[in-house]
């Protein structure tokens, strides 16, 4: 059974800092990995999807890396802004050929960026 | 586009009551999912569907039922509500089985008392 751990559980930084969120997973037989953002009282928004064959994926100030063999992914946020304050969840996806492809979610990292 | 729409947003149920959480998407996605999120926890998959007429159990299906009569709608039925079903329920959809285009609804906060 896939287990996903996200460290740290919470992070508070001043505006402008670069930061790294960590995700580890126990079963390296993944098809892809997604990073989501969740604002309080809202649903999740997909930020980045990395295929298992990729090493990293970039979108604006966000960069996600994947080391499938070691079961690790990181989300790098450059020049953080108060609007980045949210909970970030990591979700490796199971190979659809081995059944259904659904995501296993970590508990998330709650990020607060202060002005 | 509305995306994924969930109703109601909030609901309080008494133990033993039943209710249906509604979910509709307008993106013509074949794949739909129901998750629950307990405080401080990750999301757990309840049921999923790969297309109209096809549903299957996820990780935590006990106490729930689903149906998928159309591509757009994927209601979740709670029978005989229990306090352990107090949670936030999210419906999601994607256009591929690999998980591309994953879109979540805004959730239904359910309290069973």
């Amino acid at each position: 059974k896939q287990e996903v751990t996200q460290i740290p559980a919470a992070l508070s930084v001043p505006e402008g800092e670069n930061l790294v969120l960590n995700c580890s997973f126990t079963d390296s037989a993944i098809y892809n990995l997604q990073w989501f953002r969740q604002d309080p009282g809202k649903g999740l928004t997909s930020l980045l999807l990395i295929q298992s064959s990729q090493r990293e994926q970039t979108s604006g100030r966000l960069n996600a890396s994947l080391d499938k063999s070691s079961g690790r992914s990181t989300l790098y946020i450059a020049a953080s802004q108060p609007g980045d304050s949210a909970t970030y969840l990591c979700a490796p996806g199971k190979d659809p050929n081995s059944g259904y492809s659904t995501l296993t979610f970590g508990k998330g990292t709650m990020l607060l960026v202060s002005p | 586009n509305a995306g994924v729409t969930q109703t109601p947003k909030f609901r309080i149920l008494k133990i033993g009551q039943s209710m249906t959480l509604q979910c509709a998407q307008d993106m013509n996605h074949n794949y739909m999912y129901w998750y629950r999120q307990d405080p401080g926890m990750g999301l757990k998959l309840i049921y999923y569907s790969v297309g109209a007429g096809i549903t299957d159990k996820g990780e935590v299906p006990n106490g729930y039922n689903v149906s998928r009569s159309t591509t757009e709608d994927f209601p979740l039925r709670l029978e005989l509500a229990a306090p352990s079903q107090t949670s936030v329920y999210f419906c999601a959809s994607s256009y591929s089985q690999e998980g591309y285009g994953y879109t979540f609804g805004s959730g239904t906060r359910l309290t069973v008392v």
Side-chain angles (χ1 to χ4, degrees), chain B residues 55-74:
Chain B
T55 63
D56 208 346
K57 297 176 181 178
E59 186 180 359
V60 290
N62 292 342
Y64 308 95
N65 276 300
V66 294
S67 60
R68 185 94 182 271
S69 57
T70 67
T71 300
E72 294 78 19
D73 299 300
F74 190 40

Side-chain angles (χ1 to χ4, degrees), chain A residues 22-81:
Chain A
N22 297 292
C23 170
S24 61
F25 46 93
T26 55
D27 185 354
S28 61
I30 65 170
Y31 190 80
N32 55 35
L33 184 143
Q34 295 196 51
W35 282 92
F36 290 86
R37 168 187 173 135
Q38 184 175 26
D39 293 287
K42 306 282 187 181
L44 282 68
T45 300
S46 180
L47 298 172
L48 290 163
L49 184 153
I50 314 178
Q51 294 282 19
S52 60
S53 58
Q54 294 178 307
R55 296 289 291 185
E56 61 179 56
Q57 189 72 255
T58 298
S59 175
R61 295 182 293 107
L62 305 180
N63 176 277
S65 68
L66 175 63
D67 185 341
K68 180 182 169 181
S69 60
S70 68
R72 295 179 187 275
S73 177
T74 62
L75 179 67
Y76 175 83
I77 302 177
S80 59
Q81 302 172 358

Side-chain angles (χ1 to χ4, degrees), chain A residues 2-23:
Chain A
Q2 181 75 279
E3 300 285 347
V4 181
T5 302
Q6 291 190 243
I7 295 173
L11 181 63
S12 182
V13 301
E15 181 177 7
E17 277 206 2
N18 303 323
L19 56 99
V20 175
L21 308 181
N22 297 292
C23 170

